[in-house]
Amino acid sequence: MEQEKLDSSFKGQINVEKNPEDFQERVVSIRRVSKVVKGGRRFSFSALLVVGDGQGQVGFGTGKAGEVPEAINKAARIAKKEVNKVVLKENRTIPHEVVGVYGAAKVVLVPAAPGTGVIAGGPVRAVLESVGVKDILTKCVGTNNPHNAVRATMQGLSQLVNKKVDGTTLEG
């Protein structure tokens, strides 16, 4: 049974609680990071992960640990806590064009005709496929940093609004 609640940390987006096993995980990037200490360098791993159910819910998380599997597990736990609902049109594309901005990253999301597919780069593609978008055109401008590209895409998706023709129904 789905229970809706308001998530104050994401500017009024509706956070839908769902069974965590329903989400599919996509690893966007894994990096080896180092800390310089007296005896040399200490290495650890940082993971960026996106989770989604393919039906309009998506979240992302980052985790850092001494081993790759631990970092991925941490990121998955964080991502599943931060799941947000996204408005889709006909369960295949977005309702209107939107630009997401985070830092230097700018992601332009444009709805596309049926059969177009997901035209997007790596991090943006991971987010959109996790949401369940099937037809969309995107362009990432300003930076190729995967963390900022994912955050800009999420920020753009949070701006989506679904209006009916008469203007009485507003979702998003």
Side-chain angles (χ1 to χ4, degrees), residues 14 16 23 52-58 83-88 91 130-133:
I14 295 174
V16 178
F23 293 115
D53 66 349
Q55 297 172 354
Q57 295 186 66
V58 68
V83 171
N84 293 297
K85 186 135 179 73
V86 176
V87 177
L88 294 179
N91 284 333
S130 295
V131 171
V133 175

Side-chain angles (χ1 to χ4, degrees), residues 99-108 139-153 155:
V99 177
V101 179
Y102 185 84
K106 223 186 260 188
V107 177
V108 181
K139 181 65 183 169
C140 192
V141 184
T143 183
N144 58 359
N145 181 336
H147 290 269
N148 288 351
V150 167
R151 288 176 188 266
T153 306
Q155 197 267 340

Side-chain angles (χ1 to χ4, degrees), residues 45-61:
F45 295 90
S46 170
L48 174 64
L49 190 117
V50 175
V51 298
D53 66 349
Q55 297 172 354
Q57 295 186 66
V58 68
F60 74 97

Side-chain angles (χ1 to χ4, degrees), residues 29 73 87 100 115 167 169:
S29 74
N73 288 339
V87 177
T169 303

Side-chain angles (χ1 to χ4, degrees), residues 35-94:
K35 174 183 178 183
V36 179
V37 293
K38 185 177 176 184
R41 293 188 186 99
R42 284 254 165 97
F43 293 107
S44 60
F45 295 90
S46 170
L48 174 64
L49 190 117
V50 175
V51 298
D53 66 349
Q55 297 172 354
Q57 295 186 66
V58 68
F60 74 97
T62 57
K64 193 163 98 169
E67 299 293 326
V68 174
E70 294 171 22
I72 291 173
N73 288 339
K74 278 185 183 181
R77 233 182 4 256
I78 292 167
K80 287 175 184 173
K81 287 181 190 174
E82 301 294 325
V83 171
N84 293 297
K85 186 135 179 73
V86 176
V87 177
L88 294 179
K89 179 181 174 187
E90 301 166 3
N91 284 333
R92 62 163 194 85
T93 189
I94 58 176

